[in-house]
């Protein structure tokens, strides 16, 4: 586990990156894709009277999608800048059953145990230094028999290949810590008292130029990351399967959507 000083430094990096990237991130196609978000909502299938919490809500696209079909939604994020975008969009859309607030999920969420029917996190686990802590907090505030849903990037099950992939992600965005292998994500959720209910995966082609632009990557870091991706085309080092399509450099973002049910403590084996 990272030291307190290292953890504080990483949170400063997250705040810095997502303050600087706030507008670009909110407009990024993969982040605001209404069809993909609707798929997540459909997979979770919340009841109309559900109370929903979104972790690392960013500009609030997911929270607002859940607000259309549930009683109440709260979105929390570490960084103020995207929350301002979320609040502006909420007001523009006239949504009254969704709210946003600043909170650090790696410390302790400001909510009671069993407070929500659904707890969801999309495209954020790879920014957390302590994913087990985050998933544990998600489980804590979810009610017994409630749903915890995570959608995130996943990396190779082979450590060297995962490390290569995560390195060029880190070069592009310094707040990226590590995309987990699927097996580690599932094991971490199980350790938090969650039982797998449904799993889906996808692979989305990611245009590299736009990927760098959305993160406002510095030229030196972009050069190094681009060189790694070019090498990956030849040597197959990461599992991201980079290629050129009509001259445009791309690689695969491999995604997992996992929904799980929170068990009673007595239902888990010792």
């Amino acid at each position: 586990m990272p030291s307190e000083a290292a953890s504080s430094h990483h949170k400063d990096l997250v705040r810095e990156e997502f303050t600087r990237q706030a507008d670009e991130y909110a407009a990024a196609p993969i982040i605001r894709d209404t069809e993909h978000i609707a798929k997540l909502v459909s997979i979770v299938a919340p009841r109309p009277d559900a109370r929903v919490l979104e972790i690392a809500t960013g500009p609030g696209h997911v929270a607002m999608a859940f607000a259309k079909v549930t009683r109440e939604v709260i979105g929390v994020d570490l960084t103020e800048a995207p929350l301002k975008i979320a609040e502006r969009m909420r007001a523009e859309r006239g949504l009254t059953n969704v709210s946003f607030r600043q909170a650090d999920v790696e410390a302790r969420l400001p909510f009671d145990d069993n407070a929500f029917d659904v707890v969801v996190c999309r495209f954020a686990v790879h920014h957390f230094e302590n994913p087990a802590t985050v998933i544990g907090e998600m489980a804590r505030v979810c009610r017994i028999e409630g749903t915890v849903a995570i959608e995130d990037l996943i990396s190779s099950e082979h450590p060297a290949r995962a490390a290569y992939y995560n390195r060029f992600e880190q070069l592009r965005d310094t707040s990226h810590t590590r995309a987990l292998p699927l097996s580690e994500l599932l094991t971490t959720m199980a350790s938090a008292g969650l039982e797998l209910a449904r799993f889906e995966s996808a692979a989305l082609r990611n245009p590299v130029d736009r990927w760098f632009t959305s993160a406002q990557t510095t030229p030196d870091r972009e050069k190094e990351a681009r060189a790694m991706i070019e090498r990956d085309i030849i040597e197959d080092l990461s599992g991201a399967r980079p290629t050129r399509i009509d001259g445009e450099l791309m690689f695969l973002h491999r995604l997992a959507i996992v929904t799980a049910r929170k068990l009673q403590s007595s239902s888990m084996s010792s």
Side-chain angles (χ1 to χ4, degrees), residues 62-84:
V62 173
M64 285 182 275
F66 274 97
K68 294 178 182 178
V69 297
T70 60
R71 173 172 61 92
E72 180 189 6
V73 182
I74 298 174
V76 299
D77 201 281
L78 181 67
T79 307
E80 184 180 12
L83 290 173
K84 289 182 177 179

Side-chain angles (χ1 to χ4, degrees), residues 1-16 78-79 104-108 127-134 174-177:
M1 180 175 290
S3 69
E4 185 175 339
S7 181
S8 176
H9 174 67
H10 178 71
K11 288 172 186 176
D12 288 342
L13 279 178
V14 171
R15 292 187 186 97
E16 178 184 335
L78 181 67
T79 307
D104 181 359
V105 67
E106 289 184 284
R108 184 178 173 89
H127 290 292
F128 297 131
E129 281 200 304
N130 302 297
T133 300
V134 173
T174 58
S175 70
H176 179 106
T177 56

